[in-house]
Amino acid sequence: MTPNLRQVYAFAREYHQKKETQKDIQYGTAGFRSHADNLDYVMYRMGLLATLRSRAKGGQVIGVMITASHNPEQDNGVKLIDPMGEMLEQRWEKLATALVNVSDADLEAQVAKISDDEGIDNNDHAKVYVGMDTRYHSPQLAKAVLNGVAALKGNVRDFGIVTTPMLHYFVTCSNTNMAYGLPTEEGYMTKLIKAFKNIRGSTFEKGNYTNKLYYDGANGVGSLKMLGFIKKFDGFLDVKVFNSNGKINFNCGADFVKTNQRAPEGLPEVEPNARCVSVDGDADRVVYYFTDEAGVFHLLDGDRIATLIAGYLKDLVEKCGVKINMGLVQTAYANGASTDHIVNQLNVPVACVPTGVKHLHHKALDYDIGVYFEANGHGTIIYSTEAKRKITAASKDESLTQEQRDAASLLLETIDLTNETVGDAISDLLLVETVLHSKGWNLQDWLGTYADLPNVLMKIMVEDRNVITTTDAERVCVTPQGLQDAINEIVTRYNKGRSFVRPSGTEDVVRVYAEADTKENTLQLALEVANVVYDMAGGIGERLKMAAI
Ligand code: 16G
Ligand code: MG
């Protein structure tokens, strides 16, 4: 054991004790998430783990983001960012879970075990970037992370309050020797705004597109950063920020809007059809919406954003004549009408993967241009090195027509406007604005591209959500035995019916999704499926509860 490890226990004992009564917790799709009061020891240990991870990766920077995203104010959480901005490797999720669940007395031995198993020399260089959202307990929790890094003698850079995607971007920039950009807030903003302005040129408005946008910052870091962006927009985009100073995610933000299918509180009196957008508490998700003259609310969610962007990119690729393939990645939650539109109208292949960004991101790597979005508004586009090389070459290729070269240059700017490291509400918003502007569209035009099937999401409390296991990208239920047959039987009785159930990765519930031809039928279908889940998977508490994703 290296002498370095001595401090691991000393710091834990002095400053970051774990209660004897603390229940085991698990590193899930969103890292660790819990009531903020239970997280100090978790943060400390994630500081340790990030340092170990950095050493295991030859001293590359590892990120630690302190956030509970769209969760309520009292919650907080932490997740690690791998060197290329990806989510932490799955094998290490298990190490994270094990490290967090040992007692203080066993902590040093657990760190030594990980070091031995992973061939880590704790005298080697390590670097950790830390960022946090605007929750009032985040600064205190950040200190625990910093102590974890210090206990293992790693180097740390504390970015303070940043969006989750900004931290992903900083980590990637640093590990690519700045090839991806500068790992500073200024570098991030400048890159996006430069590309945005270059694409837009001197016409701010076009056709049905006006440049006024109402922006719900979910009372989180997304509002803070947007206020910074506005100063640099120079009128290119007229953004009216609301929900910038209240309780984070409270009756507002992308999750609220998507789940409740209604406008957030705090939206000022706006004209009918005004273009509105909501981000979530850490600004990695975005959804659009408007209310028409008849007072009807319309949502344009992640599926819509995926189709809009994929269509735009496909046109550009065709225009510049470069041979690169493109694919779109969705989850089972994607509206059936969107999948149909992408496959049959846009002629872009679609893959379906389990819920969680890491699955989508991983699959998107299979394509030269991989567009991935969850219906909840989380997603981005990734471009292969080969695709970038070909597009760059086309932009300079004198044997091509001017139009082809221009299309290639535009594609390069679009790549610069994209935060490829992870879904980014602000970058995605700028992309959507770019496409709408280029088409001269308002939100009705966008909505008119296809009609969503009505859909419903419910959650069911059960004794143990792990009794539900699934396969085929969560579309088929393997256990409890007979549940899938029962669902199949119910679904056949509904026109355009589709339903699936899956255990949540972030809450102790089972989720039921349903879609069908009408609102009433969809609700009925969801209730029927929810009932069989309740009966066959050990339902507890209230029998049926309508609620959030
Ligand atoms: C996490 C995931 C999100 C997913 C959600 C599903 C990341 C960064 N976030 O928030 O992508 O949609 O979990 O939650 O992967 P659920 O498992 O509770 O339904
Ligand atoms: Mg989020």
Side-chain angles (χ1 to χ4, degrees):
M1 196 179 294
T2 52
N4 275 346
L5 295 193
R6 291 217 190 103
Q7 271 188 353
V8 168
Y9 176 52
F11 271 44
R13 191 191 52 213
E14 288 299 317
Y15 308 114
H16 306 292
Q17 295 100 346
K18 178 182 166 192
K19 291 192 197 111
E20 294 280 324
T21 52
Q22 177 63 50
K23 278 202 213 143
D24 280 2
I25 56 172
Q26 204 183 332
Y27 194 101
T29 34
F32 292 108
R33 228 177 254 186
S34 169
H35 194 287
D37 291 349
N38 303 330
L39 283 172
D40 185 80
Y41 77 100
V42 177
M43 296 291 168
Y44 172 66
R45 291 166 186 220
M46 285 305 95
L48 297 173
L49 193 75
T51 314
L52 293 171
R53 180 77 179 150
S54 172
R55 290 192 175 123
K57 287 283 173 189
Q60 291 186 89
V61 173
I62 297 295
V64 180
M65 183 68 199
I66 299 161
T67 180
S69 184
H70 59 276
N71 281 38
E73 185 177 49
Q74 67 274 14
D75 286 356
N76 215 320
V78 57
K79 56 186 174 192
L80 262 54
I81 302 168
D82 257 357
M84 284 305 126
E86 327 90 304
M87 302 292 157
L88 180 65
E89 185 191 318
Q90 260 159 318
R91 200 170 57 79
W92 274 66
E93 289 185 357
K94 295 202 174 69
L95 302 186
T97 301
L99 187 67
V100 160
N101 290 330
V102 295
S103 67
D104 284 339
D106 291 335
L107 188 57
E108 192 173 316
Q110 190 67 23
V111 169
K113 182 176 183 320
I114 296 174
S115 307
D116 287 347
D117 292 351
E118 302 296 322
I120 295 164
D121 179 345
N122 277 304
N123 293 306
D124 283 351
H125 171 80
K127 185 140 193 187
V128 176
Y129 281 2
V130 181
M132 62 181 165
D133 68 18
T134 53
R135 284 159 214 266
Y136 62 88
H137 26 71
S138 291
Q140 192 60 31
L141 294 172
K143 280 186 192 149
V145 174
L146 301 188
N147 274 353
V149 181
L152 278 176
K153 310 267 188 306
N155 294 302
V156 76
R157 183 161 165 197
D158 182 1
F159 283 88
I161 295 173
V162 289
T163 68
T164 297
M166 283 169 76
L167 194 68
H168 282 256
Y169 168 88
F170 297 154
V171 168
T172 309
C173 289
S174 198
N175 290 326
T176 53
N177 244 333
M178 318 309 158
Y180 197 63
L182 291 180
T184 60
E185 185 155 342
E186 185 68 23
Y188 165 82
M189 288 174 74
T190 307
K191 183 176 175 187
L192 294 186
I193 288 178
K194 186 165 162 264
F196 182 69
K197 288 184 176 173
N198 283 349
I199 300 174
R200 184 155 297 200
S202 53
T203 29
F204 299 174
E205 310 214 320
K206 193 172 157 191
N208 289 336
Y209 179 87
T210 62
N211 72 342
K212 193 197 276 178
L213 177 67
Y214 293 91
Y215 175 98
D216 163 19
N219 294 317
V221 56
S223 54
L224 196 69
K225 298 306 170 192
M226 182 47 81
L227 291 168
F229 266 90
I230 287 172
K231 292 196 180 138
K232 296 179 184 248
F233 278 146
D234 298 328
F236 276 68
L237 203 56
D238 178 14
V239 186
K240 313 280 184 209
V241 175
F242 62 101
N243 289 334
S244 61
N245 236 338
K247 207 174 188 182
I248 193 166
N249 300 318
F250 185 67
N251 290 342
C252 64
D255 192 64
F256 174 87
V257 172
K258 166 73 181 157
T259 306
N260 297 288
Q261 314 225 352
R262 68 179 161 96
E265 284 182 11
L267 177 66
E269 280 283 306
V270 296
E271 58 284 8
N273 305 320
R275 196 163 72 251
C276 304
V277 68
S278 285
V279 307
D280 73 335
D282 63 337
D284 62 355
R285 277 164 62 171
V286 63
V287 293
Y288 275 75
Y289 48 92
F290 67 97
T291 304
D292 64 23
E293 292 91 345
V296 179
F297 175 82
H298 301 277
L299 176 70
L300 295 120
D301 63 6
D303 299 338
R304 290 277 175 181
I305 296 175
T307 57
L308 185 79
I309 294 178
Y312 177 77
L313 293 175
K314 183 145 195 271
D315 276 357
L316 279 183
V317 169
E318 275 167 9
K319 267 192 196 140
C320 68
V322 179
K323 292 263 165 302
I324 41 184
N325 69 52
M326 191 172 146
L328 202 143
V329 188
Q330 300 185 313
T331 72
Y333 285 116
N335 197 284
S338 74
T339 314
D340 190 57
H341 177 77
I342 297 157
V343 174
N344 296 317
Q345 305 295 317
L346 301 179
N347 295 317
V348 173
V350 174
C352 183
V353 299
T355 305
V357 170
K358 63 182 171 223
H359 301 296
L360 287 114
H361 192 95
H362 184 75
K363 183 66 193 172
L365 291 169
D366 285 354
Y367 307 102
D368 286 329
I369 300 182
V371 181
Y372 71 84
F373 271 89
E374 290 188 307
N376 63 21
H378 200 149
T380 189
I381 307 114
I382 48 184
Y383 299 84
S384 70
T385 312
E386 187 55 12
K388 287 180 184 166
R389 194 195 57 74
K390 283 185 182 166
I391 299 164
T392 309
S395 73
K396 298 177 191 151
D397 187 344
E398 296 289 334
S399 72
L400 297 179
T401 64
Q402 185 65 40
E403 206 193 351
Q404 286 176 311
R405 280 199 302 273
D406 289 349
S409 300
L410 196 51
L411 203 43
L412 288 177
E413 296 283 8
T414 311
I415 296 172
D416 262 354
L417 189 54
T418 311
N419 185 348
E420 292 179 76
T421 67
V422 80
D424 180 333
I426 295 181
S427 154
D428 288 342
L429 172 161
L430 293 175
L431 280 165
V432 168
E433 292 298 316
T434 296
V435 182
L436 293 177
H437 172 264
S438 98
K439 291 183 182 290
W441 277 4
N442 58 20
L443 293 192
Q444 286 103 316
D445 296 324
W446 180 11
L447 191 71
T449 50
Y450 66 88
D452 269 322
L453 285 171
N455 57 94
V456 170
L457 191 67
M458 290 182 179
K459 59 179 170 185
I460 319 291
M461 312 284 178
V462 295
E463 195 77 48
D464 173 13
R465 68 180 147 141
N466 295 318
V467 299
I468 302 232
T469 56
T470 62
T471 185
D472 192 17
E474 303 178 318
R475 290 173 292 191
V476 175
C477 193
V478 179
T479 61
Q481 236 193 342
L483 180 55
Q484 187 59 46
D485 290 338
I487 295 172
N488 291 346
E489 189 281 317
I490 297 168
V491 166
T492 51
R493 288 190 269 108
Y494 289 86
N495 188 18
K496 297 198 176 159
R498 184 170 76 89
S499 180
F500 66 90
V501 304
R502 56 174 283 275
S504 158
T506 63
E507 274 183 80
D508 207 5
V509 297
V510 173
R511 303 208 192 278
V512 171
Y513 175 88
E515 64 186 34
D517 55 351
T518 66
K519 251 186 177 163
E520 295 67 32
N521 288 344
T522 307
L523 193 61
Q524 191 56 37
L525 169 58
L527 285 171
E528 276 205 58
V529 172
N531 267 319
V532 300
V533 170
Y534 191 94
D535 292 338
M536 299 178 73
I540 49 169
E542 265 179 80
R543 213 176 151 74
L544 298 172
K545 198 168 170 207
M546 299 273 293
I549 296 186

